Amino acid sequence: MATAKTVLGEVQQNQLGRTLCHEHLILTYGAAKENFPYEYNVQTLADQVVANASKAIQVSGIKTMVDVTAKELGRDVELMQLVAQKLSINVIAPTGFYRQSAGIADYWIYQEEDEYEEFMVREITDGVSGGINNAKVKCGEIGRAHG
């Protein structure tokens, strides 16, 4: 049976259930967590998401959400893991890039297509750092926006 990569590990396809396919747990700029550690508290953010979403998740029977927040928009795999644990849902993290006009890092503007591919494959197969206890989290979907 097919599986999906979630922020807490692989899940069998039949365990995904009702799914929200385009969500953002947070939208900020990519370095917000590092630049403002005294204001950016991942535990507080997770508690806010849970307080705002728990009833709706239960009532609607949501079992999985796909977070499409690109790295440039503040993708936070630790936040995703905490929310997944607290709400007892599957959360799928993205790899990919947001549109250039909205802040893709200058480095990527000058790269070849195969370097984009290698980066995304690495985030899917090896994972990204920054999870709970700095664990690596494997991305389970590819997102990108035009522009």
Side-chain angles (χ1 to χ4, degrees):
M1 177 172 287
T3 60
K5 288 180 171 70
T6 77
V7 296
L8 298 177
E10 291 202 13
V11 173
Q12 295 291 323
Q13 178 182 353
N14 64 356
Q15 300 294 311
L16 295 175
R18 184 172 282 182
T19 302
L20 297 171
C21 293
H22 187 119
E23 300 302 316
H24 298 276
L25 287 177
I26 190 167
L27 287 173
T28 185
Y29 70 99
K33 188 175 186 178
E34 292 79 23
N35 290 345
F36 298 100
Y38 46 88
E39 291 181 21
Y40 188 111
N41 183 297
V42 71
Q43 189 65 52
T44 301
L45 290 169
D47 290 343
Q48 289 171 344
V49 170
V50 170
N52 291 330
S54 62
K55 186 171 184 178
I57 295 285
Q58 287 177 333
V59 168
S60 61
I62 298 298
K63 299 289 184 210
T64 302
M65 71 170 277
V66 180
D67 189 309
V68 296
T69 308
K71 185 175 181 175
E72 298 86 13
L73 297 178
R75 174 187 68 192
D76 188 330
V77 293
E78 181 183 18
L79 176 62
M80 291 178 203
Q81 286 182 309
L82 289 171
V83 168
Q85 288 176 341
K86 291 173 180 275
L87 289 176
S88 297
I89 64 171
N90 303 305
V91 176
I92 298 173
T95 187
F97 299 91
Y98 198 60
R99 63 183 191 226
Q100 182 176 335
S101 64
I104 189 171
D106 287 341
Y107 169 82
W108 289 106
I109 296 169
Y110 304 105
Q111 303 311 306
E112 299 295 326
E113 287 181 22
D114 60 336
E115 291 174 277
Y116 284 89
E117 178 184 352
E118 289 171 16
F119 175 84
M120 290 186 284
V121 167
R122 190 171 43 255
E123 288 200 329
I124 292 168
T125 58
D126 297 339
V128 296
S129 297
I132 295 173
N133 297 322
N134 206 34
K136 280 196 165 187
V137 174
K138 292 181 180 179
C139 296
E141 66 96 10
I142 298 172
R144 67 172 183 72
H146 297 282

